[in-house]
């Protein structure tokens, strides 16, 4: 059971107390008090609540995720999603409907509280909608309850749904129940103003009298004023399945490939190691970009564990988040602009729900090239930095990608891994061997010292890193300057100690395929000022919406290629910022 | 005409060259070359293109915005939106459909290129959808063209639409045209792989031969390799209507109100001054929160200029952006979490389209209080900082809100104005008069020195500012410390000179109702490290998802109230960071 319109929390707590999940008085005394479980919108810290809600329109997607998880686990349980009628306006619900039919989620059903009112007034005035027609057009079974305040009528409809006595038992059903808001209180019935406003004391007394209920307010009010929070806001940590991640692959110095192909190769390993039994453990989700994000191999090996959600990113983001709480390692992959910019708020709700999502986005940055500005995601770190529970990783090359992906498959939590589009040769260490191959192990929160140097340090990651290494070599060979190069594959957590050590050189240059003010440069700036470290910082990055052209041309125009980095260091030298 | 599936750019350029808008050879030689107008997805720098597209599913909303603008201007022109069939899966299209029926946008029509293919393969395999049933359920007129490759059949359908020979001439129409992708080239017909991949030379030669067209490739290839960009990427600036903004109101020291009420009052002034003629100049858009965002007064005064979009934020964000280019001052208001977090990517596309949107979001920050974490938008500055064309303003009190809103009404460009929920007394200057009343004028990029001091400076904005002022007084009275207080109502552009001057005290404290790592604190940090300014910086802000409770309790738990700020300064004193 999932309550999509989380603002009906008092009703939810009331039912839960009726069934002994919570104590009625606790609710009265702690409702919407800072620190209590009994929050304004329902949250999982209340026993019986399975998904935090509040942002309307996401509930059906989350319910679809739970239903999908149960089906995969051969668990016969059903998933009910209680929804408002106003929220049916949200487009994400149309997406969820389509997905649920495609994947025959007959263990999912919805109940729409059709009271014809939303906060702004009559649903017909705010936004006319044909709820039943929409569900029918999507091929759902639709059951209509004429008097949704009559429990017997609702019960009969529920019985039909539970017994699959519907037109098409292979697809989900929705019960549209015509209700009267404020039922039984003469002055509240069908009044939109009571959607979100509380009653005055005398109104409440009158309402309770009409309902034939004793008025507990006077006695509760005093108790509430002195109450210390007892039902404190705490959610038990989530279990996570044991995932076999196998042995990392190493790409040799001459093996030119892209990070997303390395990602695809690890997914194939994961499928082989975890999905050959009856119940797969690693799941893949994509939005019409299976080929571009390199999930075909996984799909081929593990047909029952791959889900194509179509061009429906909002739904897919929520769905994958919800599935990730059902004992699966769930990988959701699409381009950065769809997986981050378009679906930020869905991931925010995922994070609030402490999902365990593996969000792996390809085609981030100007590196997407010719597709142009609408497709160039240059704010991925900036946006996701706000999600407290997410770790953010940007592997530098196929070897590091391999190890980062195995790391996130093995570990619980929400992860973002970003990668560009272009092919590249592996990053090499000073001896000419792959820097991230062989026994190298990825450790979150640890930067990689690729080169040492005393005249400054270049801090980079992802697609720009190899330009940073080239710039370092050119500065050494042509200008006699020895700069360190650090790779920040782990952006969050961030290696503040490495930044402090690099800052001892007196000059840091950050170079990134990201908005210049909001990516690694900004994080490094925070670290320097937090510690009061005296060190010059030059931030190189993207300073305007990109053009449509070859990535190398775009990098050049933004000064984040070899030439741009060299130039920045020589400028700094001219300003006498280098300790020489 | 708006092409929603922007990736068919070669087809668009080809039609435009046929009609003389562009030179055919320019397209051949510059297509997808960095710096050219002929980008991978269509952009407005090409004559004849009216809306940059690329992110699927937003085109119909933009078209609805244009159609609405034309209707308001009594312009009889029609708006056509060409769409792919795959993109019909996006939920935003369902939202746009509903809005277009509610507002009887009969001057809008869609054409769906129903080729049954999307990048991942057959639309039926990727995501089964009933396109005509969906439009019918939404009450659109639906015309089906059996052979969409037959121009005569398409023309007949268009004629019907243009003549309003449809079932219901008061609502929009859609032409669903069954087409064959790759029509006329035997080996390309109905092949999904050609959705996004180019032909090899010999394949291209064969295709052109089958089409009976001379092969220009060999001769063009050499020309292209030496071509300098001639059709450079440039869009002419947008006109903006003259808006009368009247005289600012001043709220006296004892007038306690919230910023959103001050916003509502200005909107009423704007309605009176600009909307009394036949064609209104100031428009208001809301998503089922008209009352909360205080747009009722505007709505009442200016019935024909207010639009209620329902719980359909994605659609409304795009719609309002598109309308703002039709010679209107368009205000879109909802809560921060819906107007920013949920719709970031819509505003990103708006910004790329150089719209002139006034995005005014209320209920930002923990200040939303009891609604809890899903409703607490603590990342508004972080997200919008990435949009190069947006200015970001956070007025401190009702007086400053009044002046900021008049400023954005008068001026072209994309603006975000954020405000919390709580009531407050006006901020006072040292003489006890309203600091932002009377003759005070809001200037973007200029911080306000509310108090002077030598022991440090507190930098704040919005709902936290009055705590900053109180903390300053307490530090002066109880601890003999004289701190400056600066108000940053203008976050972008940011007043770097004021920060530099404040930094001369040696200690800056930023205090904000925003994620601690990504708001004003991060911007100030950037300024300090950009200039290499030696100064301690303490960043106070939100360090975890919020609780559900009174704003003052939440501010206290995050250390951003008076007590928290005082404590931070005293800590700094203990660490001997203060120059005393």
């Amino acid at each position: 059971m999932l309550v999509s319109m989380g603002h009906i929390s008092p009703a939810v707590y009331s039912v839960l107390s009726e069934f002994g999940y919570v104590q009625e008085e606790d609710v009265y005394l702690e409702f919407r008090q800072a620190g209590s479980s009994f929050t304004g919108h329902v949250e999982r810290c209340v026993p019986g609540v399975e998904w935090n809600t509040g942002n309307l329109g996401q509930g059906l997607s989350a319910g679809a995720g739970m239903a999908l998880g149960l089906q995969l686990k051969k668990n016969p349980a059903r998933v009910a999603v209680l929804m408002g009628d106003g929220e049916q306006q949200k487009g994400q619900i149309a997406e969820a409907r389509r997905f649920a039919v495609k994947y025959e989620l007959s263990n999912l059903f919805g109940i729409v509280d059709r009271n014809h009112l939303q906060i702004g007034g009559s649903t017909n005035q705010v936004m006319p909608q044909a709820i039943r027609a929409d569900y029918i057009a999507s091929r759902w079974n639709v059951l209509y309850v004429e008097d949704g305040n009559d429990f017997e009528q609702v019960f009969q409809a529920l019985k039909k749904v539970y017994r699959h006595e519907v037109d098409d038992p292979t697809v989900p059903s929705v019960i549209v129940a015509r209700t009267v808001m404020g039922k039984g209180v003469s002055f509240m019935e069908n009044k939109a103003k009571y959607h979100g406003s509380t009653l005055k004391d005398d109104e409440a007394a009158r309402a309770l009298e009409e309902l034939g209920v004793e008025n507990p307010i006077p006695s509760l009010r005093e108790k509430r004023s002195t109450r210390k929070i007892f039902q404190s806001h705490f959610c038990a940590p989530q279990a996570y399945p044991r995932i076999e991640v196998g042995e990392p692959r190493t790409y040799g110095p001459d093996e030119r490939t892209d990070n997303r192909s390395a990602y695809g190769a690890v997914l194939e390993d994961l499928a082989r190691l975890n999905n050959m039994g009856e119940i797969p453990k690693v799941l893949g989700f994509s939005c019409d970009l299976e080929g571009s994000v390199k999930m075909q191999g996984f799909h081929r090996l593990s047909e029952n564990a791959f889900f194509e959600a179509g061009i429906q990113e909002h739904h897919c983001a929520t769905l994958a988040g919800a599935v990730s709480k059902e004992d699966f390692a769930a990988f959701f992959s699409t381009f950065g602009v769809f997986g981050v910019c378009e679906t930020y708020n869905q991931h925010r709700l995922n994070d609030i729900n402490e999902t365990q999502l593996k969000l792996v986005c390809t085609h981030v940055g100007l590196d997407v090239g010719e597709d142009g500005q609408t497709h160039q995601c240059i704010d991925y770190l900036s946006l996701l930095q706000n999600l407290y529970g997410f770790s953010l990783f940007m592997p530098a090359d196929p070897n590091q990608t391999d190890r980062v992906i195995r790391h996130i498959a093995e570990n619980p939590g929400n992860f973002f891994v970003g990668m560009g589009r272009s092919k590249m040769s592996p990053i090499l260490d000073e001896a000419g061997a792959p820097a991230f191959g062989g026994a190298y192990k990825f450790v979150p929160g640890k930067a990689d010292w690729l080169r040492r140097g005393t005249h400054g340090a270049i801090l980079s990651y992802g697609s720009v890193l190899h330009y940073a290494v080239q710039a370092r070599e050119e500065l050494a060979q042509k200008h006699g300057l020895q700069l360190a190069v650090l790779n920040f594959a782990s952006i969050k957590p961030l290696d503040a100690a490495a930044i402090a050590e690099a800052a001892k050189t007196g000059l840091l240059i950050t170079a990134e395929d990201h908005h210049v003010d909001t990516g690694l440069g900004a994080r490094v700036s925070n670290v320097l000022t937090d510690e009061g470290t005296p060190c010059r910082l030059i931030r190189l990055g993207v300073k305007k919406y990109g053009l449509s052209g070859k990535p190398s041309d775009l990098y050049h125009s933004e000064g984040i290629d070899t030439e741009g980095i060299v130039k920045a260091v020589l400028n700094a030298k001219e300003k006498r910022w280098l300790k020489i």
Side-chain angles (χ1 to χ4, degrees), chain A:
Chain A
M1 178 77 176
L2 196 148
V3 179
S4 186
M5 69 294 212
H7 55 273
I8 64 158
S9 55
V12 176
Y13 302 148
S14 137
V15 171
L16 290 174
S17 79
E18 202 63 34
F19 287 91
Y21 285 82
V22 301
Q23 293 299 313
E24 195 174 336
E25 192 171 275
D26 286 347
V27 179
Y28 290 143
L29 301 183
E30 300 192 3
F31 180 53
R32 306 213 314 175
Q33 298 274 43
S36 167
S37 282
F38 298 112
T39 49
H41 291 83
V42 295
E43 298 184 17
R44 288 160 304 119
C45 41
V46 174
V49 175
E50 299 183 67
W51 187 257
N52 296 28
T53 55
N55 297 170
L56 294 171
Q58 296 196 28
L60 194 58
S61 299
M66 293 174 188
L68 181 64
L70 291 170
Q71 281 199 1
L72 287 168
K73 290 190 282 187
K74 323 277 182 201
N75 182 326
R78 310 288 284 273
V79 178
V81 181
L82 184 58
M83 294 175 280
D85 52 356
E87 72 169 312
Q88 301 301 316
Q89 291 153 14
K90 284 288 289 183
Q92 187 174 334
I93 290 191
E95 299 179 354
R97 274 200 300 263
R98 256 180 235 114
F99 183 93
V101 168
K102 177 182 178 190
Y103 285 103
E104 301 192 340
L105 301 180
S106 55
N107 57 338
L108 171 72
F109 67 95
I111 307 171
V112 177
D113 179 16
R114 186 67 168 125
N115 57 26
H116 282 267
L117 289 175
Q118 55 193 116
I119 200 166
S122 145
T123 51
N124 281 342
Q125 271 160 19
V126 173
M127 184 50 63
Q129 51 181 342
I131 294 179
R132 280 177 282 167
D134 280 345
Y135 277 87
I136 289 167
S138 305
R139 297 224 296 110
W140 280 50
N141 299 299
V142 176
L143 294 86
Y144 185 63
V145 172
E146 286 198 21
D147 180 0
N149 295 99
D150 178 343
F151 292 160
E152 180 57 29
Q153 286 189 33
V154 176
F155 179 72
Q156 291 305 329
L158 284 169
K159 209 158 73 176
K160 277 190 194 157
V161 169
Y162 264 88
R163 293 182 173 168
H164 290 297
E165 290 168 7
V166 289
D167 290 342
D168 183 353
T170 66
V171 298
S173 302
V174 67
I175 298 169
V176 178
R178 179 66 173 99
T179 57
V180 170
M181 202 172 81
K183 178 78 177 177
V185 179
S186 57
F187 61 94
M188 289 176 78
E189 285 194 357
N190 286 324
K191 294 282 195 315
K193 84 173 253 209
Y194 294 110
H195 176 109
S197 61
T198 48
L199 298 179
K200 293 196 190 98
D201 272 16
D202 57 333
E203 291 174 321
R206 218 178 110 202
L208 290 164
E209 200 186 321
E210 284 191 25
L211 293 169
V213 177
E214 210 183 322
N215 184 350
I217 299 177
S219 73
L220 287 170
R221 174 151 294 151
E222 203 192 313
K223 269 195 180 170
R224 184 171 157 106
S225 69
T226 57
R227 170 82 164 197
K228 293 252 175 278
I229 297 305
F230 180 65
Q231 295 299 342
S232 72
H233 189 273
F234 169 78
C235 300
Q238 183 80 16
Y240 187 72
R242 190 182 156 75
I243 302 294
E244 298 297 332
V245 299
E247 288 305 309
R249 297 165 185 238
T250 292
Y251 299 84
D254 301 324
E255 281 182 81
R256 212 176 148 74
T257 185
D258 41 33
N259 288 351
R260 54 202 169 110
S261 293
Y263 166 51
V266 182
L267 282 184
E268 291 185 32
D269 288 351
L270 293 174
R272 280 192 206 95
L273 291 166
N274 300 282
N275 290 0
M276 294 302 128
E278 208 187 348
I279 300 172
K281 293 165 83 180
V282 179
L283 309 182
F285 297 86
S286 174
C287 290
D288 198 25
L289 288 169
E290 175 188 347
S292 303
V293 302
K294 305 293 181 190
M295 280 186 150
Q296 316 105 310
F298 175 84
H299 185 179
R300 217 170 23 239
L301 284 168
S302 192
E303 190 88 32
N304 64 338
F306 176 78
F307 303 91
E308 172 52 73
I311 308 177
Q312 306 192 136
E313 293 88 3
H314 295 120
H315 165 69
C316 193
T318 304
L319 171 95
V323 172
S324 77
K325 288 172 70 86
E326 301 286 329
D327 295 311
F328 297 102
F331 284 82
F332 171 33
S333 285
T334 178
F335 290 4
V337 71
F338 308 124
V340 181
C341 305
E342 177 81 357
T343 47
Y344 171 74
N345 201 40
Q346 281 64 28
H347 293 305
R348 187 170 166 275
L349 190 62
N350 283 338
D351 199 40
I352 285 175
N353 274 292
E354 296 177 89
T355 56
Q356 319 232 40
L357 184 62
K358 324 309 183 178
L359 172 62
V360 181
C361 291
T362 66
H363 295 69
V364 305
L366 299 183
D367 193 27
V368 72
E370 290 86 347
D371 277 343
Q373 29 189 242
T374 59
H375 279 54
Q376 291 160 358
C377 176
I378 51 173
D379 40 26
Y380 43 99
L381 298 181
S382 169
L383 270 60
L384 297 173
Q385 180 74 30
N386 293 298
L387 302 185
Y388 295 101
F390 264 81
S391 299
L392 312 181
F393 303 144
M394 291 293 302
D397 73 355
N399 284 314
Q400 197 166 35
T401 300
D402 180 288
R403 283 143 185 90
V404 165
I405 298 296
R406 287 178 211 272
H407 172 86
I408 67 169
E410 202 168 9
N411 288 282
N414 286 318
F415 295 100
F416 166 77
V417 180
M419 49 193 75
R421 176 171 177 269
S422 301
K423 285 189 197 301
M424 59 177 79
S425 301
I427 299 286
L428 304 180
D429 62 21
E430 285 189 278
F436 306 115
Y440 161 82
K441 201 173 144 40
F442 171 71
V443 181
K446 199 111 192 60
D448 309 301
W449 287 85
L450 279 178
R451 302 288 185 273
R452 296 278 172 171
T454 54
H455 293 129
I458 309 171
L459 281 47
S460 191
Y461 62 87
S463 317
V464 177
L465 184 69
H466 69 273
Y467 291 114
V469 173
Q470 278 171 24
R472 193 269 176 200
E473 305 310 340
E474 192 176 316
L475 287 161
Q477 283 158 24
K478 293 198 192 156
H479 305 279
L481 297 174
Q482 304 298 331
L483 276 83
V485 177
L486 281 90
N487 173 42
F488 283 80
S490 176
I491 299 282
K492 180 166 174 271
L494 188 66
D495 191 342
I499 294 170
E501 197 186 332
K504 289 180 188 156
T505 62
L507 175 67
L508 302 183
I509 299 106
T510 54
E512 55 189 325
D513 184 2
H514 192 282
H515 190 301
V516 65
D517 288 332
T518 63
L520 176 65
R523 300 282 83 74
V524 171
S525 177
N526 275 359
V527 170
L528 293 180
T529 55
D530 282 353
E531 300 300 321
T533 310
C535 176
R536 295 301 314 209
L537 170 63
I538 298 169
R539 293 181 288 110
L540 304 180
V542 182
K543 293 176 291 297
K544 57 179 184 299
Y545 293 115
L547 299 165
S548 165
K550 285 197 212 80
S552 56
D553 288 346
L554 307 188
Y555 279 26
H556 187 72
S557 83
E558 293 299 316
I560 49 174
D561 61 350
T562 308
E563 190 183 323
I565 299 170
V566 167
K567 204 184 277 177
V569 173
L570 295 180
N571 268 345
K573 188 183 167 210
E574 224 160 81
K575 290 183 184 163
R576 302 184 183 281
W577 290 359
L578 269 66
K579 296 182 193 162
I580 303 184

